[in-house]
Amino acid sequence: MFKVRLRSSIIIMVIAVILLVSGGPVLFAGTLVISLIGMSEMYKIQKFEKASLGILCYLAAGVYYCTMYLSLEEWQIMVLVLSLVAILALYVFSYPKYTANQIMMAFFGIFYVAWMISCLYRIRILENGAFLVWLVFISSWGCDTCAYCVGMLIGKHKMAPVLSPKKSVEGGIGGIVGAALLGVIYGWIFRSHLTIFNHPVLMLAVIGAVGGAISQVGDLAASAIKRNYEIKDYGTLIPGHGGILDRFDSVIITAPLVYYMILILQNIG
């Protein structure tokens, strides 16, 4: 199993590097495909991934991505609102085909998966975006790795004993500190390319720490959903890891946070 997980991790990293380095249409297409697969995994929980409700949501996500690609900022919130209206219309005019839980899951999938993942593309097209987009992974995967190592060494107090018995408070703190240090190192190495910040090392430390803390919430939240629906993994696409949502649970929630922190901190530091 370890060899399978390692091989899958290497393939994921290679694909991620290709998408993020390429940017533009390549990253746009990649994040759209990842979003659609992730939405399908989410909808499979309540068994409407191939039904009209699921198809409607995939179309809504596609339209949203098109408005983002075309930089139609004023249309993006409208698309999300109209998506909700369309979902509710399908709900009432096909009643009782779908339950209220399925309807809520439908819109949740558009926002939680498609919109949040789209923030990777949003970061990439910012000034210095080619260097800033890596902060999402430094904050999430970096925090996860540091938290695991610290937890294994000195972890004693359970963070969420019922939900995730293996995660410790010490590991969580270690993950946050580790993500901040990785941000410092990354900021120092690439400080000449991070011109939107006056103090790039400090700003990246802040983003790393906050992003690391939030990434742990995303990881636990994804686990809580699986526990509620009594499933082990969201999918089987990635051998040894599960589905897109299993591997990108922390990235999904970290991406929008990093995006908005960049926008805020570039006017401060």
Side-chain angles (χ1 to χ4, degrees), residues 17-244:
V17 169
I18 292 173
L19 292 177
L20 297 176
V21 170
S22 300
V26 175
L27 179 58
F28 171 80
T31 50
L32 175 56
V33 170
I34 291 171
S35 295
L36 294 176
I37 295 173
M39 289 170 66
S40 176
E41 292 174 353
M42 180 68 69
Y43 297 158
K44 191 176 295 185
I45 295 175
Q46 292 201 6
K47 307 185 188 315
F48 65 88
E49 76 280 7
K50 296 179 181 179
S52 55
L53 179 58
I55 295 171
L56 172 62
C57 293
Y58 304 142
L59 290 173
V63 172
Y64 164 75
Y65 265 79
C66 288
T67 60
M68 178 181 66
Y69 187 71
L70 296 173
S71 300
L72 301 175
E73 294 291 335
E74 65 277 11
W75 281 96
Q76 291 172 22
I77 297 298
M78 180 61 74
V79 168
L80 293 177
V81 173
L82 291 177
S83 299
L84 178 58
V85 172
I87 290 170
L88 292 175
L90 180 62
Y91 178 41
V92 298
F93 291 119
S94 65
Y95 190 85
K97 183 177 181 179
Y98 299 107
T99 66
N101 284 340
Q102 288 176 315
I103 294 302
M104 288 185 282
M105 179 69 82
F107 187 72
F108 180 68
I110 295 174
F111 183 79
Y112 173 69
V113 183
W115 183 81
M116 287 193 164
I117 289 178
S118 75
C119 288
L120 284 172
Y121 179 78
R122 287 176 174 275
I123 295 172
R124 183 63 175 79
I125 62 176
L126 291 174
E127 184 181 355
N128 302 157
F131 295 91
L132 293 170
V133 71
W134 298 99
L135 294 176
V136 176
F137 299 91
I138 289 174
S139 300
S140 55
W141 291 352
C143 174
D144 185 53
T145 301
C146 294
Y148 175 79
C149 293
V150 173
M152 288 291 292
L153 291 173
I154 60 173
K156 294 181 179 180
H157 302 86
K158 304 299 182 184
M159 180 185 294
V162 176
L163 181 59
S164 186
K166 294 182 179 180
K167 293 186 182 297
S168 65
V169 173
E170 292 84 358
I173 295 173
I176 294 172
V177 174
L181 290 175
L182 289 173
V184 168
I185 295 170
Y186 185 81
W188 176 259
I189 294 173
F190 296 104
R191 61 190 183 280
S192 62
H193 299 283
L194 300 169
T195 56
I196 65 169
F197 299 124
N198 292 324
H199 305 92
V201 175
L202 176 59
M203 294 300 101
L204 264 62
V206 172
I207 292 174
V210 177
I214 297 300
S215 73
Q216 296 182 62
V217 175
D219 184 19
L220 290 170
S223 297
I225 294 173
K226 290 190 287 186
R227 289 291 185 91
N228 283 155
Y229 288 97
E230 298 180 343
I231 58 174
K232 183 178 183 295
D233 296 313
Y234 284 103
T236 58
L237 180 65
I238 308 173
H241 292 273
I244 288 291

